[in-house]
Amino acid sequence: TCYMNSVLQQLYARPAFRMGILRSGGRPLPSRRALRGGGFDDPSASAELLYQLQVLFSSLQASQRQYYLPTGFCSSFRDWEGR
């Protein structure tokens, strides 16, 4: 999690990347495969990860808090085997 945190901090610090993520398309409905725990190759699983990254970045940008609990992002993140 320390590695993921440092990568996310670096990506957030890049204004062009951050704005690109925040301006990305809306959240599509998840497919049945994604609801059953579809893997990384599932487009709806990737869309969920993008959505959670948007939530994370927008919270960091708009919140007065000095922290963010990335529970949604962490639960949407899957490895190559879909775990």
Side-chain angles (χ1 to χ4, degrees):
T1 59
C2 293
Y3 294 115
M4 185 182 297
N5 185 31
S6 63
V7 168
L8 289 172
Q9 287 179 16
Q10 292 300 314
L11 293 175
Y12 180 79
R14 307 286 304 174
F17 183 83
R18 179 176 63 233
M19 294 313 296
I21 292 295
L22 292 174
R23 291 180 181 153
S24 294
R27 180 180 182 180
L29 294 173
S31 69
R32 288 184 185 158
R33 181 175 175 202
L35 293 173
R36 292 190 313 260
F40 206 104
D41 61 330
D42 187 347
S44 61
S46 297
E48 177 65 17
L49 182 62
L50 173 62
Y51 172 75
Q52 291 298 331
L53 188 57
Q54 288 173 326
V55 170
L56 191 151
F57 280 5
S58 62
S59 178
L60 291 174
Q61 184 170 301
S63 178
Q64 298 272 334
R65 293 182 183 180
Q66 294 184 3
Y67 65 91
Y68 175 77
L69 296 175
T71 307
F73 178 80
C74 291
S75 65
S76 69
F77 189 80
R78 301 280 183 248
D79 65 12
W80 293 110
E81 295 175 351
R83 294 185 224 160

